[in-house]
């Protein structure tokens, strides 16, 4: 994805993409003190995808927890 172009299309004043940590210094120095916003995206290294939070629970457990939370009365719903 072309994040810099996406940022400009979304109305940001600038949009930069850095591929290394060393590259981050330059765009940060360029935008310092300028009115923003200025997104600066940094590619992070690949590797193993961490396990999903829900991987510790079965589908049935996730569904039951969601249903319980969805039907539980909220404090702001009480008279």
């Amino acid at each position: 994805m072309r994040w810099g172009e996406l940022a400009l299309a979304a109305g940001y004043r600038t949009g930069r993409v850095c591929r290394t940590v060393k590259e981050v210094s330059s765009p940060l120095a360029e935008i310092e003190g300028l009115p923003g916003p200025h997104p600066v995206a940094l590619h992070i290294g690949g590797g193993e995808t961490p396990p999903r939070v829900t991987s510790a629970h079965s589908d049935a457990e996730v569904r039951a927890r969601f249903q319980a939370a969805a039907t539980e009365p909220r404090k702001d719903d009480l008279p």
Side-chain angles (χ1 to χ4, degrees):
M1 176 162 277
R2 297 182 302 214
W3 293 105
E5 291 176 29
L6 180 62
L8 295 175
Y12 289 93
R13 294 180 185 268
T14 63
R16 294 288 299 269
V17 177
C18 303
R19 300 211 176 272
T20 68
V21 173
K22 291 180 180 180
E23 289 180 16
V24 174
S25 299
S26 178
L28 292 180
E30 290 172 15
I31 63 176
E32 185 175 0
L34 296 177
H38 305 277
V40 177
L42 177 62
H43 284 267
I44 56 173
E48 293 186 34
T49 303
R52 291 179 46 176
V53 173
T54 57
S55 65
H57 305 284
S58 70
D59 291 343
E61 290 171 318
V62 171
R63 182 179 60 246
R65 290 173 64 185
F66 176 80
Q67 286 175 332
T71 58
E72 187 175 289
R74 296 183 349 201
K75 291 179 183 177
D76 57 346
D77 288 342
L78 300 176

